[in-house]
Every structure is written in structure tokens, then in C-alpha cells.
Amino acid sequence: MTDFAATRAQFHIPEDVIYLDGNSLGPLPRTAEARVAAAVREEWGEMLIGGWNRAGWIEMPRILGDRIGTLIGAEPGSVVLGDTVSIKIYQALAAALEMRPDRRVVLSDRGNFPTDLYMAQGLIASLGRGHTLRMVAPEEVEAAIDEDVAVVLLTEVDYRTGRLHDMARLTARAQAAGALTIWDLAHSAGALPVDLAGAGADFAAGCTYKYLNAGPGAPAYIYVAPRHSDRALPALSGWFGHAAPFAFEPGYRPGVGIDRMRIGTPPVLQMAVVEAALGVWEGVSLADVRQRSIQLSDLFIAEVESRCPQLTLLTPRDPSRRGSQVSFGFSEGYAAIQALIARGVVGDFRAPDIMRFGITPLYIGEEELMRAALILQDVMENRLWDEPAYRFRAAVT
Ligand SMILES: *Cc1c(COP(=O)(O)O)cnc(C)c1O
């Protein structure tokens, strides 16, 4: 059984803060500070450029990729770190479209995270081959898969509502129709068990700064199923993805397997944080995390619904249909979230009217969720959100 008191002790969380935003930016793992200091002083400081070999910087995207792979059910050697989710989605989509040259439709849902849709639109425009992005309601995806669809591009857990797609079912359905699948795991990895290999997924991408707690700006990762990895062309053909980066050949030759999805120089210091953050997962069972996340989410939903009749639950009530966040709709949701933050409860707001709370069993328990619900009740009942200062929109919401 996972010891959640022990995992909690591994995080620094500011005093008097109930942090319900780990689905957006995970908190600081205590070991990260020392690990980064060592990377700065002992590696960069002392080894200088020798760090690429002596400290193994060059290998880190693969080694850390494999460690993330164990959390998302990926085969060894099928995940590599780098860049951002936007870029990794672009690469996966470019590769997948190239593998289905006779088809012209990219299918996604309207709940998908906008960057995935934007990247698809940009790629389609630059290809100039008449592809279209077909967007349907999340519950209509399955019925919209037909023989025109080249790629089904989905985020498994909806960033706004927390609704969970059935990865295995939709992957099977897409493949039966001859399409490929790309799964965005931004709100899945570290939040619930994911089984990419078991589902037969073709491609996936995700980030390390949300439920994996690797800090602001931490690199993304990409998964390519081993059966595709020597066929998939990375589109962004950078030197780190070349078969022999230090041969400095003028012509591009893609590297072997997942290595070809690398592009350029990786962020070494931030990867040191990824390494430290992944240490937290040792001895943690994702099945336990899932079970506890469901318990905690059920508790939070019950507490808030009984105390705050002004709020509408937007997250599916059925635990098997949601990820690890709870969202409520409220017309003054932005101001209400600011009022909560001012009282030490950190959630976030997503346009147009969504109050979002991340449930992260590694460092959040019953007691804090009950306290958060009481503070929310106070904010709602006494209209504490109704202050001009709480309506001011910062650049990041
Ligand atoms: C957070 C998030 C991203 C982030 O993309 P970046 O390019 O890494 O900033 C992408 N997709 C989803 C679904 C997300 O939730």
C-alpha cells in the first residue's frame, strides 16, 4: 500500500496554503533543490562542456523518458523527453499524417486543449494538401470515426471538465477504421494509471510540470509505438534526432527508434528537476493513487455540493468517467477563485466560467479538502468574491 504521508513529506508546500492546482503546476519536490544545485555546481560548474558525456546529459532525455514510460504503460525505449507538448503534438501529427497519405481528416473534440487544435491547424496550413480538422462534441467522437479519418487526436482527460475518454475503446475503433491515434496525456500521467501499450496507442505526448511535479518550463515527452518508431518521420528534423548528430553531415538522416523525435539541445538543468521529481514515484502504486483520488474527489464533490448550492458540478459524477480534478461552473468563477486564493485555497479558473480543483493524493488529504470546502462555502454564502480587486484579470488565469 502506498504511504501517502511519506509522499506528502517529500513536497514543499507553503504554510497556510491548500494547494488544489497541482493539475496545472505541481509543487516543489524537496529533493529538487539539491539536485539542481548539484547539476549547477558539480556538473556545469566543474565539468563544463564535459558534462554532456561525464554527467550523462546527452542520455537524459531517453533515460528519463523510460522512467516516465513506466507511469504511462509504455514499452522501454518508446518515450523521449524534450520541447513542449505543443511541439510534440505537432511532430506526432506530422508523422501520423504522413503514414496515412490518402486520408485528409484529423478528428478531434471541441473539449480538446486549444494548443493541440492550434498546432493541427498550423500544420494543416503548411502542408497545403487539403486536410481538415473535424471537431465534434466529446461524446460524438466514436461515431465520427470513418474511413476519411487519418488521425484521431484527443486529450484523454478534458482540462476543463475532467471528463475521461476511453482510450482503449477509441483506439481500437480508430484502428479498425484504418486511422492512427494521438493521445495527449497532460492531465493523465501521474493522475491515473495509463496503459499506452495495452491500449495499442500509436502516439502520445504529455507534460512533466503538472501531476509529475517537475517545475515551470519542464520539458514534455513523446511516445511512439515501437511498431512505428522506425517509420515515423519527425517533421522537425533537428540535429539531435539525426542518426549521427556528431558526424555533422549536411543531409538529414533520421535516428533509430524514438531518438529521431529529439530535436535540439535539451534543457539540462530542468531535466535535473524531472529526475528528482520522478524519485517521488518510487514505491508509489498508480492504482493506489487512483483509488485515493476517487475517494478524495467524491468527498470534495459531496462537501461542496452540500455547502454551495450556487455551484454546478461540471465533472462527471461517475468516477470511471473522470480524471483527477473536480470542476464547478459559476458565472463569477474568476472572482470566486481569486477570493479563494486570497484565503489560502489555490485552485484555478478556466474561461468562460469554470472553477477547477486538482486532486493530488501525493500531497493532499481529506482534512484539507474539508477545510477548502468550508472556505468555499464562506466565499459563496457571504459573496466574498464580490470585490473589484477580484475581477482584475492577470495574464495567467
Ligand atoms: C497543459 C497542456 C498542454 C501544454 O502544452 P505546452 O506546449 O507544453 O505548453 C498541452 N495539452 C494539454 C491537454 C494540456 O493540458
Side-chain angles (χ1 to χ4, degrees):
M1 200 52 201
T2 303
D3 180 353
F4 288 108
T7 56
R8 181 197 184 97
Q10 295 191 56
F11 288 95
H12 167 77
I13 296 177
E15 234 163 285
D16 303 324
V17 165
I18 300 176
Y19 195 62
L20 305 180
D21 213 1
N23 53 319
S24 222
L25 177 70
L28 173 67
R30 290 187 190 278
T31 54
E33 278 182 272
R35 180 65 189 86
V36 173
V40 169
R41 283 193 222 115
E42 287 145 41
E43 297 178 11
W44 178 22
E46 297 303 319
M47 298 177 192
L48 293 161
I49 199 164
W52 286 106
N53 294 314
R54 284 170 60 205
W57 295 341
I58 193 77
E59 303 293 342
M60 280 173 85
R62 275 289 296 278
I63 291 172
L64 297 173
D66 272 342
R67 287 179 68 184
I68 291 169
T70 63
L71 301 175
I72 54 176
E75 302 88 341
S78 62
V79 178
V80 73
L81 230 61
D83 316 296
T84 65
V85 182
S86 306
I87 291 172
K88 281 355 223 180
I89 289 287
Y90 185 94
Q91 279 187 294
L93 186 57
L97 288 178
E98 210 270 334
M99 290 165 68
R100 290 292 178 275
D102 301 331
R103 297 184 176 210
R104 288 290 177 276
V105 174
V106 177
L107 175 65
S108 191
D109 72 63
R110 287 189 210 105
N112 201 351
F113 194 79
T115 204
D116 295 26
L117 304 174
Y118 300 161
M119 293 312 275
Q121 290 160 17
L123 174 61
I124 286 171
S126 30
L127 287 175
R129 284 169 40 211
H131 289 96
T132 56
L133 174 61
R134 182 189 293 168
M135 280 182 270
V136 299
E139 39 310 331
E140 286 162 7
V141 170
E142 186 167 348
I145 298 172
D146 61 26
E147 312 273 308
D148 296 329
V149 174
V151 180
V152 179
L153 169 64
L154 296 172
T155 295
E156 190 189 20
V157 177
D158 187 297
Y159 73 107
R160 284 182 298 199
T161 63
R163 176 204 35 74
L164 174 68
H165 271 309
D166 185 338
M167 180 189 288
R169 183 184 171 100
L170 289 173
T171 299
R173 180 72 191 83
Q175 290 170 351
L180 294 164
T181 54
I182 301 173
W183 288 98
D184 184 331
L185 303 179
H187 296 275
S188 307
L192 68 162
V194 176
D195 187 5
L196 287 174
D202 298 288
F203 297 88
C207 51
T208 59
Y209 54 81
K210 292 174 180 163
Y211 293 88
L212 298 179
N213 314 304
Y221 56 86
I222 185 169
Y223 164 83
V224 180
R227 64 184 177 280
H228 299 316
S229 60
D230 281 324
R231 256 185 76 205
L233 291 175
L236 299 167
S237 40
W239 69 308
F240 271 62
H242 191 278
F246 288 87
F248 295 106
E249 296 166 8
Y252 180 76
R253 284 189 293 128
V256 174
I258 193 70
D259 272 336
R260 61 177 56 190
M261 291 295 167
R262 295 178 65 168
I263 301 175
T265 308
V268 172
L269 298 180
Q270 192 84 48
M271 286 193 302
V273 185
V274 177
E275 187 178 287
L278 289 175
V280 173
W281 293 94
E282 266 148 48
V284 171
S285 137
L286 272 162
D288 291 348
V289 169
R290 176 66 171 158
Q291 193 192 13
R292 186 135 171 79
S293 144
I294 289 172
Q295 263 172 16
L296 293 174
S297 303
D298 282 345
L299 171 79
F300 190 61
I301 291 171
E303 286 289 313
V304 173
E305 284 195 315
S306 69
R307 294 172 187 285
C308 309
Q310 307 85 346
L311 305 184
T312 315
L313 180 68
L314 299 177
T315 302
R317 229 171 260 285
D318 173 358
S320 69
R321 294 189 49 235
R322 65 176 188 242
S324 200
Q325 67 173 68
V326 174
S327 303
F328 294 95
F330 176 54
S331 57
E332 295 289 341
Y334 182 82
I337 285 288
Q338 304 319 305
L340 277 176
I341 294 171
R343 288 159 181 82
V345 178
V346 181
D348 66 17
F349 169 81
R350 285 294 172 263
D353 63 352
I354 298 174
M355 299 169 69
R356 204 170 65 146
F357 302 95
I359 308 293
T360 49
L362 292 188
Y363 50 86
I364 289 291
E366 280 93 352
E367 191 268 324
E368 282 142 314
L369 290 169
M370 311 257 284
R371 243 185 320 136
L374 279 171
I375 296 170
L376 181 53
Q377 178 179 15
D378 187 30
V379 165
M380 298 308 303
E381 219 168 72
N382 300 308
R383 293 177 64 96
L384 302 178
W385 50 265
D386 199 0
E387 294 263 350
Y390 295 150
R391 293 212 174 82
F392 172 75
R393 299 258 173 143
V396 175
T397 64

